[in-house]
Amino acid sequence: MTAAYLAKLNTEQRRAVEHGCGALDEAPPLLIIAGAGSGKTNTLANRVAHLIVSGADPRRMMLLTFSRRASAEMQRRVERITAQVLGAKASPMVHALSWSGTFHAIGARLLREYALDIGLGNTFTIHDREDSADLMNLVRHDLGFSKTDKRFPMKGTCLSIYSRVVNAEAPLGEVLGSYFPWCAEWEVELRKLFGAYVEAKQKQNVLDYDDLLLYWAQMMVEGAVAQDVADRFDHVLVDEYQDTNRLQASILLALKPNGRGLTVVGDDAQSIYSFRAATIRNILNFPDHFSPKAQIITLERNYRSTQPILAAANAVIDLASERFTKNLWSDRASAERPHLVNVADDVAQAGYVVEKVLENREAGIMLKSQAVLFRASHHSASLEVELTRQNIPFVKFGGLKFLEAAHIKDVLAVLRWAQNIRDRVAGFRVAQLLPGIGPSSAARLLNRIAESPNAMDALSGFRPPAAAAEHWQQFEATIGMLRRNAAGWPSELDLVCRWYGPHLERIHEDAALREADLLQLAQIASTYPSRERFLTELTLDPPDATSDEAGVPLLDEDYLILSTIHSAKGQEWAAVFLLNTVDGCLPSDLATGSTPEIEEERRLLYVAMTRAKDQLHLMVPQRFFTHGQRSTGDRHVYAQRTRFIPNSVSDHFESRSWPTPKSVSKGNGRTREPVDVRAKMRRMWG
């Protein structure tokens, strides 16, 4: 008899859930190709739950996701499913599923456990991207690359190059030639810079984001340690496998070289993150890494969209040069095909979207159930003006990240420096919070600490500039208490905030506003058991945005969603409007340099189309005004419909123009004596 939770699954989902249960040594690895809206998250959760119900030890399972929220949601679903079979025993079993999280979070945890085995200090701190860029800049300056005759790449570019080399497991020359050709002449200098950057991180006992994967990967090639890590896990399950990079794939293959107990879930048609070094080759080549080859199960039934929308999306992705064959289908019938809407320009485009959005709202589709998607953030500029003019509330994804705010970085830098006093980036920032200490004095202090075997003695023996003498004693005492863990956690954060308070008022005019963020930070801190855990988790999973003064309240709680296609992945709306479905925007004119880039742009269109449940409107503006002219200038270019919707697939769409052309008047029937204008023009010249 089929269990109740399995009875709710369709045939292919059930095959995926039951694969290899009870016969782990005999079952090949599993690749689940899960089309958009096919219930992949539910299938993976059911597989985890079914493994636990079938006797698998949750402590020996690793579940890798691409966000903390996804991991938490997965665990909630697993607990709900297992509770149907195990009752009250389900909760402790699911809580034992402790190795669940993102690649970077799991990597950080493993490195902390095996630090001494691989030559790491177990007090290492983790730099976020901005701190990593700052350290790269310090090294860059020390090597004299900030004063070259010709323009040397800036710190952010250098870090991006380094990150791609590491995550793509590609030679530096190849990365420069393919992605950073304007930096190719600096290959020798960049190699020297990256070597010095690695040495600086090791001296300071800090890791960057990329190190969390790189150290893990390197650890998996060392015999005893690699075997110990691999032996800890019977099952490794990976969500969104199409978004992994080569380094992540190397880690998985090292964990499960024969593939036994390995399950990956993904959709090659939704691989859209190559700018993060993700590669579609991981999922396309996955079956061939093992002998026997991985079992492939395809989920084609879509529970989201109407059949006409799926037919159009299938037609678009069918033209891809390489993919796993699948044909999404749905029970949701509809007579409404996706709309290809021809408009004059971006102003007319905005007018159409606003008209249809309001029309849908009157028909009962809330604004929150409608979304406007675009390839690049600036594509929505005209629409935002029109929405504001029409008093239609909207939310656009983006804004200042919480950890990017200066006052938050200041407080966290104090904690990081206390945790790891060799962290030069944190120390450089903290020292300069004191009035009278500038870059030179801060560098002198840090050099003294770096050269001394006892960092606190070096700090105590430092003689600050006279202007900083008033604040130095309290600063030194605060750092000393933090180093001794005298206050205990989370009281240590309160100690830092009390010390920082006067400096906050001195540095920032809006100190009262920023204090609200520090209170929020204290609330977050209270949920973590230790300072080390707090710093690690906050770096890996930062809150989204800082607080601000409350704006004008929206009496109408409903609002329209504006989002880039990348941010929209994994979401769905009743009605979707896609702006600028023309060549030059989709595909972007910056992403047509190679076939892989063009193919990824095709997948972007597919992702956008499959976000729609009931209505899909693809906007095709005919005219774009060029930059570099007056706001009222007339210089323009004409656009053509995206190459991804050729005439061969246009039958899947309903083409229309907006606004509807007005009929031409036939006149009142009067007859007039013809006027020979041509003769008049001839007579002008003799």
Side-chain angles (χ1 to χ4, degrees):
M1 183 177 173
T2 304
Y5 63 92
L6 293 177
K8 298 177 181 178
L9 305 175
N10 64 44
T11 303
E12 295 306 307
Q13 289 174 333
R14 193 178 307 125
R15 282 182 60 208
V17 167
E18 295 178 327
H19 174 85
C21 290
L24 181 61
D25 292 336
E26 301 174 8
L30 176 62
L31 169 61
I32 304 173
I33 300 296
S38 62
K40 94 176 154 58
T41 302
N42 187 51
T43 303
L44 188 57
N46 270 277
R47 176 158 176 77
V48 174
H50 190 65
L51 286 169
I52 294 173
V53 170
S54 301
D57 187 348
R59 294 167 298 183
R60 296 181 58 80
M61 299 172 67
M62 180 186 289
L63 178 57
L64 293 164
T65 61
F66 273 78
S67 72
R68 300 295 178 96
R69 187 176 178 184
S71 177
E73 174 62 21
M74 192 74 69
Q75 287 190 291
R76 282 193 295 270
R77 294 194 187 198
V78 170
E79 184 170 358
R80 187 175 67 247
I81 297 164
T82 52
Q84 298 178 27
V85 180
L86 303 177
K89 298 179 181 178
S91 185
M93 292 291 284
V94 176
H95 288 160
L97 187 65
S98 58
W99 290 96
S100 174
T102 65
F103 271 91
H104 291 87
I106 296 294
R109 183 177 168 185
L110 285 170
L111 294 182
R112 198 73 69 180
E113 285 194 23
Y114 289 93
L116 299 179
D117 295 311
I118 58 176
L120 272 176
N122 55 12
T123 60
F124 68 80
T125 50
I126 303 171
H127 278 180
D128 60 22
R129 289 294 184 190
E130 188 171 339
D131 286 341
S132 299
D134 288 342
L135 179 57
M136 182 74 76
N137 201 43
L138 287 174
V139 177
R140 178 177 174 272
H141 181 73
D142 290 343
L143 292 174
F145 294 153
S146 57
K147 297 179 180 179
T148 53
D149 293 335
K150 292 194 290 184
R151 180 173 62 105
F152 192 81
M154 299 295 287
K155 63 179 183 179
T157 303
C158 293
L159 185 64
S160 296
I161 296 170
Y162 172 83
S163 183
R164 182 168 283 276
V165 169
V166 169
N167 287 286
E169 294 186 328
L172 175 59
E174 180 182 313
V175 168
L176 291 174
S178 299
Y179 302 100
F180 303 91
W182 63 93
C183 305
E185 64 179 303
W186 298 105
E187 181 178 350
V188 173
E189 291 81 1
L190 286 169
R191 193 177 300 278
K192 184 178 179 181
L193 171 64
F194 298 155
Y197 172 65
V198 171
E199 288 184 14
K201 287 189 294 181
Q202 292 179 353
K203 285 180 181 177
Q204 299 172 34
N205 199 27
V206 299
L207 303 181
D208 60 25
Y209 265 46
D210 303 316
D211 287 333
L212 299 177
L213 299 182
L214 184 59
Y215 273 76
W216 185 5
Q218 294 297 322
M219 183 171 72
M220 295 306 297
V221 298
E222 299 297 330
V225 176
Q227 194 63 48
D228 189 62
V229 176
D231 289 344
R232 297 178 67 165
F233 305 103
D234 296 328
H235 295 275
V236 177
L237 304 99
V238 187
D239 195 14
E240 305 286 4
Y241 191 63
Q242 78 280 346
D243 295 333
T244 55
N245 56 47
R246 286 186 179 176
L247 188 58
Q248 290 165 323
S250 297
I251 291 170
L252 289 178
L253 293 176
L255 277 170
K256 293 292 176 184
N258 62 8
R260 299 290 188 265
L262 180 58
T263 300
V264 302
V265 184
D267 183 5
D268 55 296
Q270 298 188 67
S271 177
I272 59 174
Y273 290 109
S274 66
F275 63 90
R276 298 179 184 168
T279 172
I280 193 174
R281 302 307 324 169
N282 283 353
I283 192 168
L284 291 177
N285 297 342
F286 180 82
D288 298 326
H289 284 299
F290 310 99
S291 181
K293 289 186 176 183
Q295 174 78 43
I296 302 175
I297 296 177
T298 306
L299 307 183
E300 295 182 312
R301 182 176 180 179
N302 179 284
Y303 295 91
R304 174 187 300 157
S305 307
T306 63
Q307 185 57 40
I309 291 175
L310 293 179
N314 287 335
V316 167
I317 204 63
D318 277 346
L319 300 175
S321 59
E322 190 176 11
R323 69 186 190 95
F324 285 111
T325 302
K326 63 179 177 296
N327 189 48
L328 296 183
W329 62 275
S330 172
D331 287 335
R332 299 188 62 222
S334 174
E336 184 176 354
R337 292 177 294 171
H339 299 272
L340 274 175
V341 186
N342 295 290
V343 293
D345 50 33
D346 60 338
V347 175
Q349 176 175 248
Y352 174 86
V353 171
V354 168
E355 180 181 283
K356 292 300 296 185
V357 163
L358 293 176
E359 184 181 301
N360 287 340
R361 182 173 177 268
E362 291 301 315
I365 304 176
M366 298 179 65
L367 294 180
K368 284 183 181 178
S369 297
Q370 304 181 66
V372 183
L373 308 183
F374 30 84
R375 175 64 178 86
S377 185
H378 65 273
H379 288 176
S380 65
S382 294
L383 176 62
E384 291 175 47
V385 171
E386 184 64 15
L387 290 170
T388 303
R389 192 181 71 82
Q390 297 269 18
N391 199 28
I392 299 173
F394 65 91
V395 171
K396 185 176 181 180
F397 291 107
L400 179 64
K401 300 295 183 184
F402 187 79
L403 296 187
E404 294 173 359
H407 54 299
I408 298 295
K409 289 189 71 70
D410 289 344
V411 170
L412 292 179
V414 177
L415 292 173
R416 285 199 182 98
W417 201 43
Q419 182 76 11
N420 175 15
I421 205 158
R422 307 280 180 190
D423 187 337
R424 196 172 181 91
V425 170
F428 198 71
R429 186 181 190 99
V430 171
Q432 293 183 83
L433 293 175
L434 299 179
I437 293 185
S440 299
S441 298
R444 189 159 51 88
L445 169 63
L446 296 173
N447 290 337
R448 184 184 179 94
I449 291 173
E451 295 165 1
S452 174
N454 190 312
M456 287 308 299
D457 287 348
L459 183 67
S460 302
F462 181 73
R463 295 293 175 261
E470 179 185 349
H471 300 272
W472 181 258
Q473 189 174 358
Q474 187 184 3
F475 170 71
E476 186 184 332
T478 302
I479 297 298
M481 289 184 68
L482 292 171
R483 292 281 294 169
R484 296 191 304 272
N485 296 310
W489 183 260
S491 299
E492 292 172 342
L493 183 58
D494 295 330
L495 175 67
V496 174
C497 289
R498 285 198 302 273
W499 171 82
Y500 181 64
H503 302 291
L504 178 68
E505 294 180 0
R506 176 176 55 81
I507 298 170
H508 300 288
E509 294 181 357
D510 56 346
L513 273 179
R514 296 174 185 262
E515 284 178 2
D517 287 331
L518 298 182
L519 291 174
Q520 185 181 357
L521 191 66
Q523 291 177 341
I524 296 171
S526 65
T527 64
Y528 291 93
S530 67
R531 179 173 68 201
E532 174 269 313
R533 186 79 176 272
F534 168 70
L535 291 172
T536 298
E537 299 290 323
L538 201 65
T539 303
L540 296 177
D541 188 30
D544 188 51
T546 59
S547 62
D548 199 352
E549 290 183 342
V552 179
L554 293 175
L555 301 180
D556 188 345
E557 294 181 351
D558 201 13
Y559 50 82
L560 183 67
I561 305 296
L562 273 59
S563 173
T564 62
I565 302 173
H566 285 97
S567 297
K569 188 171 175 288
Q571 302 189 67
E572 59 183 41
W573 295 274
V576 169
F577 302 83
L578 179 60
L579 303 185
N580 296 345
T581 317
V582 297
D583 256 58
C585 296
L586 194 69
S588 167
D589 53 6
L590 298 176
T592 55
S594 65
T595 298
E597 288 177 307
I598 294 173
E599 289 299 312
E600 179 159 325
E601 295 290 303
R602 186 192 312 276
R603 296 193 292 272
L604 265 175
L605 175 59
Y606 174 81
V607 168
M609 294 175 66
T610 52
R611 300 311 95 196
K613 297 165 65 176
D614 303 307
Q615 291 183 19
L616 176 60
H617 304 260
L618 307 180
M619 309 303 302
V620 187
Q622 302 298 305
R623 182 171 66 233
F624 288 87
F625 292 99
T626 60
H627 297 287
Q629 61 174 321
R630 297 179 293 121
S631 59
T632 54
D634 282 330
R635 293 201 306 273
H636 61 271
V637 295
Y638 284 100
Q640 67 179 43
R641 188 176 72 204
T642 176
R643 70 188 71 181
F644 304 138
I645 306 179
N647 291 335
S648 59
V649 304
S650 60
D651 290 345
H652 294 284
F653 301 85
E654 181 180 328
S655 294
R656 59 175 300 191
S657 297
W658 188 92
T660 305
K662 297 179 180 178
S663 59
V664 180
S665 174
K666 295 182 179 179
N668 55 15
R670 291 187 301 170
T671 59
R672 295 188 179 93
E673 189 71 26
V675 178
D676 193 350
V677 175
R678 294 187 300 171
K680 287 186 174 183
M681 295 175 68
R682 290 194 301 271
R683 287 196 292 272
M684 287 174 62
W685 306 102

